[in-house]
Each structure stands twice: as C-alpha cells, then as structure tokens.
Amino acid sequence: MSTPYAYFHKQIVPLSEAKIGIMTHAFNYGTGVFEGIRGNWNADDNTIYLFKVEEHLKRLRQSARICRIEISETDAQLSELIKQVVGKSEIREDQYVRPLAYKSSEVLGVRVHDLEDDLLIFVAPFGPYLDIDAGARVQTSSWRRVEDTSIPARAKNTGIYINSALAKTEAILNGFDEAIMLNADGHVSEGSGENVVIVRDGRLITPQRSDNVLEGITLDTVLFLARSELGLDVVERTIDRSELYVADEFFLTGTAAHVTPVLEVDRRPVGNGAIGAITKQLQKRYFDIIYGRVDKYAHWCTPVPLRQAVRQA
Ligand code: PMP
C-alpha cells in the first residue's frame, strides 16, 4: 500500500496530516488557483511521467497573477516539490497532481488584497475521466460559461468551478456524459473540464481564446501534433451550437479527459457515429507521448522513477 504525501505549510507531510481550518479564506470564498498535472504510470519503466510540468506552472502563475495570489516558491522549487510528493507517494497507477495556491488567512471579508497566501501540492490516483474508447455523449448545457467580465475564464480559479460543476451534474442527471457550455453570446465555449475541437473537411476548428475558454495545455499539444505531424490546418474561431451537429468529428481535450471522442451531441450522432480517423490518430499519438514512449517528445515528460516494488512471497 502506498501512503500519499502532500506539500503543506512548506513541508512534505503525509496527506492525512494536511488539514486546513474551517475559516480559511479560500474555502469560504473560492479564492484559490490551481493546476491539474497528469502523472502517467508506465509499469515497464517503473516510472511515472509527469506531463508538461513547466507549462502547468506557467499557467498557475498566470492564474495567480490575475487573482492577486503570491507564490513564494520558484518554478524550479515547485517542480522539485512535485517530484518529491509524487516519488514519496509511490502510487503505481495513473494519477493527478494538484498544486493549489490560495488565500490562507483565517478571516472573514470578501477581497483578494491584504491576506496571506500559501501553496499546497497533493497527488491522488486518477484513472480515465471519460470513456476514451467508447466516446462521450454530450449535451449543450443550460448553464452558460462564465464571462471574462465576471470571473476571468483563463484563470484556473477554484471558485469558478461551481459553473462547471452545475453543468456537469445537469448533464449526468440528464443521462449524458459531459456538458458543452455556450458563452453569453450563444457560441460554443468549452466542456465542464475540457476544450472543444471539431473537424470539418479535414480541418480542425476550436473556439478562439476570447470565447471564455481555459487555455488548455492538452489542446495546445493536440493542435501542435495535428499541424506538425498530420499536416492539418487548425483554425481558432467562433463555433455555433449547430456547427457541432454537422461536424465530421468532435473531440474533447483535457488533462483529465486526455483526447476523448464525442460520438453524440444533443442526441444526434457525430459524423457517422463512430470515432473519426483524425481523432483516432491524434489520440494514439498523444497516449504514446504521455507515457514517455516517444523520444522526440521526451522533453514534455518529467520522469519520476519509483523504487522497485517489494514483491510479496
Ligand atoms: N477547460 C476547463 C474548464 C478545464 O477545467 C480544463 C482542465 N484543466 C480544460 C479546459 C483543459 O485544460 P488542460 O488541457 O490544460 O487540462
């Protein structure tokens, strides 16, 4: 059995000892920013490959800047701490690393200035989020994606996730797997925790960044692969809801969801109802890469070798 560890109050401690007080500002008002980093377990190498740590730390800092949260650790220190938490926890399966910077003062009053900040890191086992083989059935949500004029959509802020949670629960309770949110203008924004990509006539289309999307790291990866390896055109522009209905292919990207094909939207089959050829190729390449199996992209993966497991007699 592995014992999960966390970085908390500037120390690495067993996860069970990392507790916050009930008056913590971030808990009461959603004043935190976070990242989700995949740790992909490769049993052949006895190694966990952390995907794009640098990019996630960059986005964490951008979120913190938007929300006025100070991070005292450097990127080099943070990546070292992440490696230590993951290495010590020895979780021999796919996992999720969560750095979270937050307003840690135990005080009442809504604001983001004049408060103490802290940062924690934990890791948890985390398998597939959506069915990457069978594909997802999605629904256009009755919840609109928050506008940047209300809560900055490109900041991965803890409080913003009530928006995603309401949409996800509505979709699940209605018998779907995932929600697709429109923005206030009625254009496609994103899934509850994924970016949206459609394929039309061999060209990839994804909503532009100003449509209130989180600037996805998986999206960037997949669009890069589409351009550089498949030689495909990629366009970032406004997408209408009805355009989802006539797409040849449709897939979602996210740290949790990886590359998940969408096979049905609002009870209409996508394309011919099977996983599309482009989606399949991108999915395969992406999975080879994130488990550290492609030398060319080894620089995207931070290896954390685990001790050899002690075999039970
Ligand atoms: N949008 C939202 C709302 C998300 O929570 C996520 C997951 N972080 C994404 C998009 C996808 O981003 P990434 O590929 O960086 O995980």
Side-chain angles (χ1 to χ4, degrees), residues 73-266:
E73 294 84 353
T74 63
D75 277 9
Q77 286 168 332
L78 288 178
S79 39
E80 189 49 41
L81 287 164
I82 288 169
K83 281 195 269 181
Q84 281 181 29
V85 168
V86 167
K88 253 175 111 73
S89 296
E90 292 193 275
I91 299 169
R92 288 179 160 74
E93 55 187 291
D94 290 340
Q95 51 200 265
Y96 202 81
V97 183
R98 159 93 9 115
L100 195 158
Y102 64 105
K103 295 287 169 195
S104 56
S105 299
E106 299 198 29
V107 60
L108 289 173
V110 180
R111 61 187 185 278
V112 285
H113 70 283
D114 192 22
L115 293 165
E116 279 172 19
D117 298 317
D118 204 352
L119 180 139
L120 57 82
I121 302 168
F122 66 86
V123 55
F126 200 65
Y129 182 65
L130 292 167
D131 194 328
I132 46 182
D133 299 318
R137 296 174 56 250
V138 306
Q139 171 194 35
T140 306
S141 184
S142 68
W143 294 98
R144 296 291 176 98
R145 172 72 174 154
V146 284
E147 288 291 307
D148 193 66
T149 46
S150 301
I151 307 180
R154 67 170 48 68
K156 210 166 158 52
N157 156 243
T158 54
I160 207 173
Y161 275 82
I162 189 63
N163 181 226
S164 288
L166 289 167
K168 176 80 176 184
T169 288
E170 179 191 56
I172 299 284
L173 297 184
N174 285 344
F176 295 87
D177 304 314
E178 188 50 279
I180 302 300
M181 289 183 282
L182 307 179
N183 63 19
D185 296 338
H187 297 127
V188 173
S189 179
E190 59 180 1
S192 71
E194 307 87 16
N195 293 110
V196 163
V197 183
I198 57 172
V199 182
R200 293 191 73 189
D201 301 322
R203 164 191 272 200
L204 268 62
I205 311 167
T206 191
Q208 60 214 359
R209 282 152 201 254
S210 53
D211 278 339
N212 301 314
V213 298
L214 182 77
E215 296 175 348
I217 290 163
T218 319
L219 178 72
D220 267 358
T221 308
V222 168
L223 296 185
F224 174 84
L225 294 174
R227 282 191 183 107
S228 64
E229 301 218 338
L230 305 186
L232 298 174
D233 271 353
V234 175
V235 194
E236 295 192 17
R237 64 152 170 83
T238 303
I239 298 179
D240 289 329
R241 173 181 184 170
S242 61
E243 202 172 1
L244 302 178
Y245 300 167
V246 296
D248 303 321
E249 301 184 29
F250 179 177
F251 61 87
L252 299 172
T253 62
T255 295
H258 299 300
V259 177
T260 300
V262 176
L263 297 191
E264 200 186 299
V265 50
D266 294 341

